Amino acid sequence: MFRGDDELKYYKKIRLANNMLCIIRNATMDDAKSVLENTKIIREETDFLLSYPDEINFSIEEKEEFLKNKENSSCEIQICSVVNDRIVGLAGISAVGSKDKVKHRAEFGISIEKAYYGKGIGTALTQACIDCAKTAGYRQLELEVVAENKNAIALYKKFGFTETGRNPRGFCSRYTGWQELISMLLELD
């Protein structure tokens, strides 16, 4: 991980649990189509994320603009995991706000295709985002997770995230009704 010309940059090669090579790096404008494809795949596989596949209405041009803004940011980043030249997971950090009272806080999000669960990608993406958040000067990383998502909660706790609250009606799933959301944070200093 490094900062280049006031931009957050990340690049790392890792070996997965199945011995496959995985590249963890910034998602770029050129990845827009692949990022959209990955986003739809993951939303078809899980009910633990904010949106459904039919709610992903970004055009490729809009996704390119989003990724361009992340590429050129000194405080936000979109990171992808690439296996066999295909994006299989995404993670990122976004500023909570720019006002003095909240500029120390960043939000963290992550998603991985089910075929790649348990291989080390979640750990690598989480560590990458923590490293980038520290480099950007954040003092706190925050997230919300569906209470039934035990694997994600275990991952976050492994890195030291602690629970700060619960919203029993945080999501209303099309399939299961109310989903409790757990708010978690990691102090970075």
Side-chain angles (χ1 to χ4, degrees):
M1 206 282 310
F2 59 94
R3 185 190 289 260
D5 298 331
D6 207 30
E7 303 161 353
L8 287 177
K9 300 291 181 194
Y10 195 91
Y11 186 92
K12 186 174 185 178
K13 291 181 180 180
I14 63 168
R15 283 275 168 209
L16 301 179
N18 61 2
N19 209 31
M20 292 182 80
L21 180 66
C22 177
I23 297 171
I24 308 294
R25 63 167 174 78
N26 290 67
T28 68
M29 283 179 56
D30 295 336
D31 295 316
K33 185 174 187 256
S34 296
V35 166
L36 282 172
E37 289 169 359
N38 176 264
T39 300
K40 287 185 180 184
I41 288 168
I42 292 171
R43 273 143 185 84
E44 289 170 355
E45 294 180 333
T46 184
D47 194 30
F48 292 149
L49 298 173
L50 174 65
S51 56
Y52 295 101
D54 63 305
E55 295 177 315
I56 307 300
N57 299 318
F58 292 105
S59 68
I60 290 177
E61 294 77 20
E62 289 169 325
K63 188 52 79 172
E64 286 174 342
E65 185 66 24
F66 170 83
L67 292 171
K68 177 183 170 188
N69 290 337
K70 294 289 185 177
E71 277 185 85
N72 296 322
S73 177
S74 64
C75 62
E76 296 187 331
I77 193 166
Q78 183 74 36
I79 299 174
C80 61
S81 56
V82 181
V83 176
N84 293 328
D85 295 321
R86 195 169 81 71
I87 293 175
V88 300
L90 296 164
I93 59 170
S94 300
V96 169
S98 60
K99 304 287 187 209
D100 281 348
K101 287 188 177 184
V102 296
K103 67 182 180 183
H104 66 286
R105 298 168 52 199
E107 295 175 319
F108 166 63
I110 183 172
S111 60
I112 301 164
E113 291 181 22
K114 278 190 178 182
Y116 294 89
Y117 283 9
K119 296 182 176 18
I121 293 174
T123 296
L125 286 171
T126 302
Q127 186 63 62
C129 286
I130 290 169
D131 292 345
C132 289
K134 288 178 179 178
T135 298
Y138 291 112
R139 299 175 66 193
Q140 184 169 298
L141 202 51
E142 306 171 13
L143 62 87
E144 287 187 325
V145 59
V146 174
E148 291 85 27
N149 194 348
K150 303 297 183 199
N151 291 336
I153 294 167
L155 172 68
Y156 306 143
K157 285 183 176 181
K158 176 172 88 171
F159 280 95
F161 281 86
T162 57
E163 184 177 325
T164 59
R166 289 179 176 247
N167 181 346
R169 293 166 62 133
F171 283 170
C172 185
S173 167
R174 292 177 182 171
Y175 311 112
T176 62
W178 297 118
Q179 292 178 309
E180 182 174 42
L181 289 181
I182 300 173
S183 297
M184 300 182 83
L185 72 82
L186 175 66
E187 294 179 4
L188 299 173
D189 63 356

